[in-house]
Amino acid sequence: GEDVEQSLFLSVREGDSSVINCTYTDSSSTYLYWYKQEPGAGLQLLTYIFSNMDMKQDQRLTVLLNKKDKHLSLRIADTQTGDSAIYFCAEIGSSNTGKLIFGQGTTLQVKP
Amino acid sequence: SAVISQKPSRDICQRGTSLTIQCQVDSQVTMMFWYRQQPGQSLTLIATANQGSEATYESGFVIDKFPISRPNLTFSTLTVSNMSPEDSSIYLCSVLGQISGYTFGSGTRLTVV
């Protein structure tokens, strides 16, 4: 079945790079997404990558996709305290229903 | 991207009562979804709200407990019926627009006492 896994917690120092990892099982996924959830807020779309791409860069964010290993990562350069949040990886399920399958979320803690 | 207004933002309800959550979008969208996020957990899809027909529910969710309406392409409601403390969660509306992709509302934080 469809499953998305993430590590639960990451702690970095301000100014360092953060790398959040995600693995998925559905090899037919077309799009993979990264969302950010700040305390008490909804989900904010950070970026997404199409399955035929290996990398996508958007300012401080870099997404790497290894389709062979079904591994997705989100790198945040020059991490700031405002980046502290929960980050969710999500894929579109192969059932063509349009629904997103979410990972458990990675809590990023940025220490000053 | 589409702008979603979700109401109420939070509520505290007595067990046995029902709460209806509204989701209003500023543009017509092809698909609307309702998700639940239990405390400290990820998001789980409750159902896809279909315009003009019955919602499509995921395994473990039933219409009697979570009735959904979608009268047009910009509006949907989710009702949490006969609530118990186990229903305490954040409920999120999500839309899929042709241009905007997936967008989420700010969520409704429900506490059942």
Side-chain angles (χ1 to χ4, degrees):
Chain A
E2 301 154 337
D3 194 20
V4 179
E5 299 277 341
Q6 296 177 242
S7 52
L8 296 182
F9 186 78
L10 176 66
S11 180
V12 301
R13 293 224 171 263
E14 192 173 17
D16 289 349
S17 292
S18 307
V19 179
I20 302 171
N21 295 301
C22 170
T23 57
Y24 59 98
T25 57
D26 188 349
S27 58
S28 61
S29 292
T30 52
Y31 285 92
L32 295 127
Y33 298 84
W34 284 104
Y35 284 89
K36 175 183 180 183
Q37 186 178 38
E38 297 185 52
L43 268 69
Q44 172 195 354
L45 176 64
L46 284 179
T47 187
Y48 64 92
I49 189 166
F50 190 50
S51 59
N52 69 351
M53 300 168 65
D54 298 324
M55 185 182 85
K56 181 178 180 182
Q57 187 152 4
D58 184 1
Q59 299 182 345
R60 293 192 296 123
L61 304 178
T62 303
V63 178
L64 295 178
L65 176 60
N66 182 327
K67 205 173 177 185
K68 173 176 169 290
D69 294 339
K70 298 185 193 132
H71 182 267
L72 182 73
S73 68
L74 173 70
R75 178 177 181 268
I76 305 172
D78 187 25
T79 312
Q80 304 297 308
T81 53
D83 295 324
S84 294
I86 303 175
Y87 291 81
F88 290 95
C89 165
E91 63 166 355
I92 294 182
S94 60
S95 55
N96 285 330
T97 59
K99 69 178 185 180
L100 290 175
I101 310 297
F102 283 87
Q104 312 95 306
T106 299
T107 298
L108 174 63
Q109 179 189 67
V110 182
K111 297 178 180 178
Chain B
S1 61
V3 176
I4 299 174
S5 172
Q6 190 175 334
K7 297 178 181 179
S9 59
R10 58 177 62 233
D11 207 342
I12 300 173
C13 299
Q14 297 290 324
R15 66 178 69 198
T17 63
S18 297
L19 176 71
T20 295
I21 303 167
Q22 298 181 357
C23 179
Q24 177 74 54
V25 193
D26 68 343
S27 58
Q28 293 186 345
V29 291
T30 50
M31 301 184 82
M32 297 181 78
F33 305 91
W34 287 98
Y35 285 83
R36 180 176 73 181
Q37 186 179 22
Q38 294 178 297
Q41 303 291 315
S42 185
L43 280 78
T44 301
L45 181 66
I46 298 171
T48 302
N50 301 310
Q51 193 259 331
S53 63
E54 191 173 287
T56 304
Y57 289 85
E58 296 298 304
S59 175
F61 298 96
V62 295
I63 188 171
D64 290 346
K65 177 67 175 176
F66 297 103
I68 288 170
S69 78
R70 190 175 174 194
N72 55 52
L73 292 176
T74 63
F75 185 78
S76 177
T77 66
L78 167 74
T79 299
V80 186
S81 302
N82 188 25
M83 289 183 284
S84 66
E86 292 71 33
D87 294 320
S88 297
S89 293
I90 300 172
Y91 293 85
L92 295 115
C93 168
S94 173
V95 303
L96 174 59
Q98 289 186 337
I99 298 174
S100 59
Y102 289 94
T103 306
F104 283 81
S106 54
T108 297
R109 188 177 295 271
L110 172 62
T111 303
V112 184
V113 297

